[in-house]
Amino acid sequence: MRSALPKVLHPLAGRPLIGHVLAALAPLAPARTVVVVGPEGAAVEQAVAPLPTATQAERLGTAHAVLQAREVLAGFTGTVLVLYGDTPLVPTETLARLVAAREASTNPAAVVLGFRPRNPTGYGRLVTGPDGLDAIVEEKDASPEQKALTLCNSGVMALDGAILFSLLDQVGNANAKGEYYLTDVVALARARGRRVDVIESCPEDLLGVNDRADLAAAEAVVQTRLRRAAMAAGVTLTAPETVFLSWDTQLGPDVSIGPFVTFGPGVTLEAGVTVKGFCHFENCTVATGAIVGPYARLRPGARVAENAHIGNFVEIKNATVEAGAKVNHLTYIGDARVGAKANVGAGTITCNYDGFSKYHTDIGAGAFIGSNTALVAPVRIGDGAMIGAGSTITADVPDGALALTRAPQDTRPGWVAKFVARLRPARKS
């Protein structure tokens, strides 16, 4: 990845790659889960906490990695799923099929998840026969005939926990890479007279992330899935390919979303919300019937209530806009409350930061804030109060009062003609 960030912590739809893997696993309610990390895996350990981790001090191959889980899995005799933190798209349903195949009446020692990519180059090949899977051959060790096979190994397996570690103890490293391959357990299990099976999944589910291009490809897959799920649930996406959702985006029925809208993590839009184009949301909530955009930005802590209007080039941060209130254009509302049915004019800002601390602005119900107003927090504008356009408000305004600050207007009749007459000779010279 050419990154200081561990690969499995790179975000995909707003969640780390490994978070997707663990989320797919969670509905199966595993009795034990262990995450094997590298020698510099502190960040990964923190990300997966409180799950136990095991450290692979030397990267000696996949079988060696699984061996590091021996202590956590001591005494476990059920099915062991081996998953990969950089293969984030395997759905829960596929994992459930894998477990079911392992626990079938034929009692296979292992079940391998295979797929058929358009181009199998680089993948290990699955060599099958009448009695199931005969062997997994890495491409570097494959014969020309084996390289011609199209069924490939994803690396994902379900194994019999009762014999797993005894098999792993027999794995050697006499191969082109000098590594201990997990795939060797297939031949070892067959040598014990145990059956090994294969189930297949689509290549999209098994996309591995090895670089930034792979990450972008995985993002495209996830976004397509999220968009389809949203539309199936009753959400209108005018231009689906331009809307980017997070893994936890919550969209109610009859939400309508225009083009070029981005959702960061932690966003909930309730039923009937209308979002116009080019908006950005992150860690915020928008209630039923509200209208947002175009070109609006709702930052963390923004809470927009029922039937409120948030218009173009409006930014809301850590603030509540109550029912029916309107903040329609060119405005910043931060660390504030905008009361029900209040109207905030264009160019208004809440001056919430003095360089050291944040302060709160409270705008009462039904208040009217004139255009180009600066509200210097901490300050309260009372219910039904009015602020004259162009004002800088530094003190509380009582309910129903008018407040304004401005210099007196100086009007000079005929001044322009005299000014032009004075300057015209100078221009000719």
Side-chain angles (χ1 to χ4, degrees):
M1 302 297 281
R2 299 184 182 274
S3 173
L5 186 69
K7 178 168 66 170
V8 298
L9 298 186
H10 280 260
L12 179 68
R15 177 164 60 180
L17 296 177
I18 197 166
H20 288 269
V21 177
L22 295 172
L25 180 64
L28 302 185
R32 307 184 199 183
T33 302
V34 55
V35 179
V36 179
V37 301
E40 299 174 353
V44 179
E45 291 177 2
Q46 184 177 3
V48 302
L51 293 176
T53 59
T55 301
Q56 185 186 20
E58 296 181 86
R59 293 182 173 88
L60 301 179
T62 50
H64 182 257
V66 178
L67 272 171
Q68 310 314 304
R70 189 198 297 265
E71 183 177 341
V72 177
L73 297 181
F76 183 74
T77 58
T79 296
V80 175
L81 275 174
V82 177
L83 308 176
Y84 293 82
D86 62 359
T87 306
L89 303 179
V90 184
T92 299
E93 295 77 10
T94 299
L95 298 180
R97 286 197 297 121
L98 197 60
V99 172
R102 219 301 299 161
E103 297 176 353
S105 58
T106 52
N107 191 31
V111 180
V112 175
L113 187 59
F115 68 114
R116 299 180 187 273
R118 288 184 179 180
N119 180 6
T121 301
Y123 294 105
R125 305 303 201 275
L126 301 182
V127 182
T128 59
D131 297 321
L133 182 64
D134 292 331
I136 304 176
V137 182
E138 296 296 326
E139 185 171 68
K140 288 187 177 182
D141 303 309
S143 67
E145 293 78 12
Q146 290 169 334
K147 288 180 180 179
L149 298 174
T150 59
L151 184 59
C152 295
N153 176 38
S154 71
V156 176
M157 293 187 189
L159 301 128
D160 182 355
I163 65 167
L164 171 59
F165 290 103
S166 66
L167 291 174
L168 292 174
D169 286 336
Q170 293 182 268
V171 173
N173 65 345
N175 52 62
K177 286 188 175 181
E179 293 185 353
Y180 297 89
Y181 292 149
L182 181 62
T183 52
D184 287 354
V185 300
V186 173
L188 294 169
R190 292 301 299 266
R192 295 189 186 188
R194 293 289 299 273
R195 181 182 179 90
V196 179
D197 286 328
V198 177
I199 67 169
E200 292 190 41
S201 189
C202 67
E204 179 182 274
D205 292 346
L206 298 167
L207 176 65
V209 176
N210 293 308
D211 55 29
R212 306 285 181 146
D214 290 341
L215 184 62
E219 186 73 42
V221 172
V222 170
Q223 290 301 327
T224 296
R225 291 178 179 180
L226 292 171
R227 294 162 187 155
R228 287 174 178 170
M231 290 186 286
V235 175
T236 294
L237 303 180
T238 305
E241 69 281 1
T242 69
V243 175
F244 288 84
L245 305 166
S246 280
W247 66 276
D248 61 347
T249 303
Q250 299 292 316
L251 304 175
D254 292 320
V255 166
S256 179
I257 300 173
F260 298 101
V261 175
T262 299
F263 293 88
V267 178
T268 297
L269 271 55
E270 295 179 0
V273 169
T274 297
V275 178
K276 300 180 181 180
F278 297 92
C279 292
H280 190 281
F281 299 81
E282 184 177 3
N283 287 307
C284 61
T285 60
V286 182
T288 299
I291 300 173
V292 181
Y295 294 99
R297 183 185 181 196
L298 270 58
R299 292 171 58 193
R303 298 169 297 277
V304 178
E306 294 86 353
N307 301 312
H309 291 188
I310 307 297
N312 50 289
F313 303 104
V314 171
E315 180 178 346
I316 310 289
K317 189 273 295 182
N318 191 32
T320 299
V321 179
E322 294 184 351
K326 296 181 179 180
V327 187
N328 272 331
H329 32 219
L330 303 166
T331 294
Y332 171 69
I333 302 293
D335 298 291
R337 177 188 76 98
V338 178
K341 296 187 177 180
N343 190 306
V344 179
T348 295
I349 59 171
T350 58
C351 306
N352 57 324
Y353 183 53
D354 64 1
F356 298 94
S357 300
K358 298 289 182 72
Y359 301 94
H360 189 263
T361 298
D362 190 87
I363 300 172
F368 181 92
I369 312 299
S371 297
N372 201 33
T373 292
L375 301 172
V376 183
V379 68
R380 178 184 181 275
I381 310 303
D383 294 347
M386 297 186 71
I387 307 299
S391 297
T392 298
I393 302 299
T394 59
D396 290 354
V397 178
D399 294 354
L402 168 67
L404 68 161
T405 61
R406 61 176 63 132
Q409 181 172 319
D410 182 6
T411 303
R412 303 182 182 188
W415 183 90
V416 174
K418 295 176 183 178
F419 174 74
V420 171
R422 186 170 68 250
L423 290 182
R424 187 171 289 135
R427 284 187 179 180
K428 289 180 179 180
S429 64

